[in-house]
Amino acid sequence: KYFKFKAYAIADGSDLLIYPKIFPGWKRVEKKLNKSCDAIFCVSKNMTDYAREETKLNNVKQLNLGFSSNSFIYDKRHIKDNSVFKLISIGNLRLVKGHDILLNAMLHLNDNVHLSIIGGGPERHHLENFIESNNLSARVKLLGKLPLSQMVTHLQQSHLFCMPSRSEGFGIAPLEAMSLGLPVVASNVGAMPEYVIDDFNGYIFQAQDVPDMVRKLKKAINKTWQPSEIAAYVNTEYTWNIWAKKIELEFADDLNQAKIL
């Protein structure tokens, strides 16, 4: 207020989709946001629509997130091992991420399909019990948290990425996978229906619907994809550099004023 600069807030997930429903102080937070912020940025059309319809937040705008294109670079020379079909998923092992749904889907896929899940969290014990009790140990691996370089290596060695989330604000992991040329099968939450395009870079299934997930996974497994086109698409539309340019446009007047000061 002292410098007469604009102030913004960014909502990118459970802070808007989940916590307001369970946090009794949300109305006070909402009031302060409306008083202090010139705009509230939501990171997907899905979240923007939700904010406008389900909250009393003022001046809500859409500003999609991006991914680090410097860390996820497609290399057409990379050769995959095709002796098994490698499915991969990345995310915290929490109920909202839906890995239990993906494990259920694995029961309906051919034995030649193997799954790796990268991430740690409170649901690991429950997932391990399911894997053991359903004789999936030979086909499913919980890799835990991994350094970025190892995560990239596992993605490069995989054929298909799956994002089974029950809820998402945006969903960056599928973009990272696509940047390495992987097609994506994802639930219809967050921004994923906005950037996963049927028959081009993946398929969308109804969240928490195991039969629909299985249908889309089988369809993706049997399709011939164009990895270079998938990678080019996300690098043209969804990098952090693109996000930064959009932010600069929003801040343009304030940045010019700051230079004068």
Side-chain angles (χ1 to χ4, degrees), residues 20-162:
K21 299 177 183 177
I22 62 176
F23 177 46
W26 167 249
K27 288 186 178 180
R28 295 196 303 273
V29 173
E30 193 174 58
K31 185 177 180 180
K32 288 188 177 183
L33 286 169
N34 285 335
K35 181 179 179 180
S36 303
C37 297
D38 292 271
I40 309 291
F41 291 130
C42 291
V43 297
S44 67
K45 183 181 184 301
N46 181 299
M47 180 174 281
T48 304
D49 292 343
Y50 180 88
R52 289 171 177 167
E53 296 168 7
E54 303 295 331
T55 76
K56 295 181 180 179
L57 291 171
N58 297 330
N59 200 16
V60 174
K61 296 183 178 182
Q62 181 179 344
L63 183 68
N64 289 345
L65 293 182
F67 73 99
S68 177
S69 55
N70 294 330
S71 301
F72 299 87
I73 301 173
Y74 172 67
D75 185 351
K76 64 181 179 181
R77 296 170 298 178
H78 188 85
I79 305 299
K80 299 180 189 291
D81 177 8
N82 293 319
S83 60
V84 297
F85 189 92
K86 295 182 180 179
L87 178 62
I88 190 169
S89 185
I90 298 175
N92 293 328
L93 302 185
R94 296 185 292 127
L95 191 63
V96 70
K97 292 296 184 179
H99 292 112
D100 57 316
I101 305 170
L102 178 53
L103 291 184
N104 269 286
M106 285 294 292
L107 298 175
H108 304 281
L109 299 176
N110 292 337
D111 290 344
N112 190 50
V113 179
H114 290 205
L115 168 65
S116 296
I117 300 176
I118 297 176
E123 287 294 306
R124 183 179 180 112
H125 180 66
H126 296 294
L127 299 179
E128 287 174 335
N129 286 342
F130 184 93
I131 291 168
E132 184 176 353
S133 61
N134 288 278
N135 299 314
L136 287 171
S137 299
R139 297 172 54 211
V140 178
K141 302 298 180 185
L142 302 181
L143 302 178
K145 294 181 178 179
L146 295 178
L148 178 61
S149 59
Q150 291 184 32
M151 185 172 73
V152 170
T153 297
H154 279 284
L155 284 168
Q156 289 173 327
Q157 295 171 347
S158 299
H159 300 90
L160 176 65
F161 184 91
C162 184

Side-chain angles (χ1 to χ4, degrees), residues 161-207:
F161 184 91
C162 184
M163 192 73 166
S165 301
R166 288 177 166 89
S167 177
E168 285 286 343
F170 184 76
I172 291 179
L175 294 179
E176 296 170 342
M178 284 193 282
S179 186
L180 294 171
L182 271 69
V184 169
V185 172
S187 57
N188 61 337
V189 299
M192 294 183 289
E194 299 168 37
Y195 59 69
V196 177
I197 304 168
D198 279 2
D199 287 320
F200 170 65
N201 59 7
Y203 297 109
I204 292 292
F205 65 89
Q206 184 71 31

